[in-house]
Amino acid sequence: MSKIAVVYWSGTGNTETMANAVVKGAKDKGAETELFTASNFSADMADNFDGIAFGCPSMGTEELEESEFEPMFSAVKGKLNGKKIVLFGSYGWGDGEWMRNWEDDCKECGAVLGAESVICNDAPDDDIIEKCETLGAVLA
């Protein structure tokens, strides 16, 4: 059985909804799954998981949330070489540049992106929820 972490930051609840769908998808495939907010996850914990799903909305000028998520993610990046991960998040403006930049950053640190990242404008609809469940299943 694989062990999966779902780590997210959410300001409006949209990315949290997506995170819960990722958890459901992983659990439905039999994975042991733990849900963490960014402030409750650290680099030391990364080695305890076979795969990690990271969720963060676009903030500011299409950047990761800078007070909790970005510092946590920067600390964890050194543990991602060869680790299977997936990314998800919501946005309210722009065109998803933050996700493309984030994917590039993950590839540069050697992470293995297990599936196409999932982004949504504002609240996730049924299609996005299904895609998030698929992210969880891919990690499982």
Side-chain angles (χ1 to χ4, degrees):
M1 176 189 311
S2 57
K3 191 170 179 183
I4 306 300
V6 179
V7 184
Y8 75 96
W9 186 91
S10 188
T12 63
N14 294 336
T15 303
E16 180 178 16
T17 298
M18 297 171 80
N20 286 319
V22 174
V23 167
K24 180 183 182 311
K27 284 186 175 181
D28 286 352
K29 286 292 185 180
E32 180 182 337
T33 309
E34 293 185 51
L35 182 65
F36 300 92
T37 60
S39 61
N40 292 319
F41 193 80
S42 68
D44 295 339
M45 300 166 77
D47 289 337
N48 298 328
F49 296 93
D50 301 306
I52 305 174
F54 291 103
C56 185
S58 171
M59 303 293 287
T61 56
E62 294 216 51
E63 300 167 334
L64 296 174
E65 190 278 329
E66 62 186 12
S67 65
E68 291 180 32
F69 192 89
E70 197 285 325
M72 174 279 304
F73 189 75
S74 288
V76 171
K77 280 195 313 190
K79 300 280 191 166
L80 297 182
N81 187 22
K83 187 165 296 278
K84 189 173 183 181
I85 68 166
V86 295
L87 306 176
F88 62 94
S90 62
Y91 65 99
W93 60 88
D95 69 352
E97 179 183 5
W98 105 99
M99 185 60 73
R100 293 188 298 276
N101 293 339
W102 192 11
E103 289 170 339
D104 290 344
D105 192 25
C106 290
K107 290 173 188 172
E108 287 175 15
C109 71
V112 178
L113 292 173
E116 184 177 334
S117 301
V118 176
I119 63 173
C120 72
N121 189 319
D122 295 322
D125 60 16
D126 290 343
D127 181 55
I128 295 295
I129 295 298
E130 185 177 321
K131 287 179 180 180
C132 288
E133 289 176 1
T134 299
L135 287 181
V138 164
L139 282 180

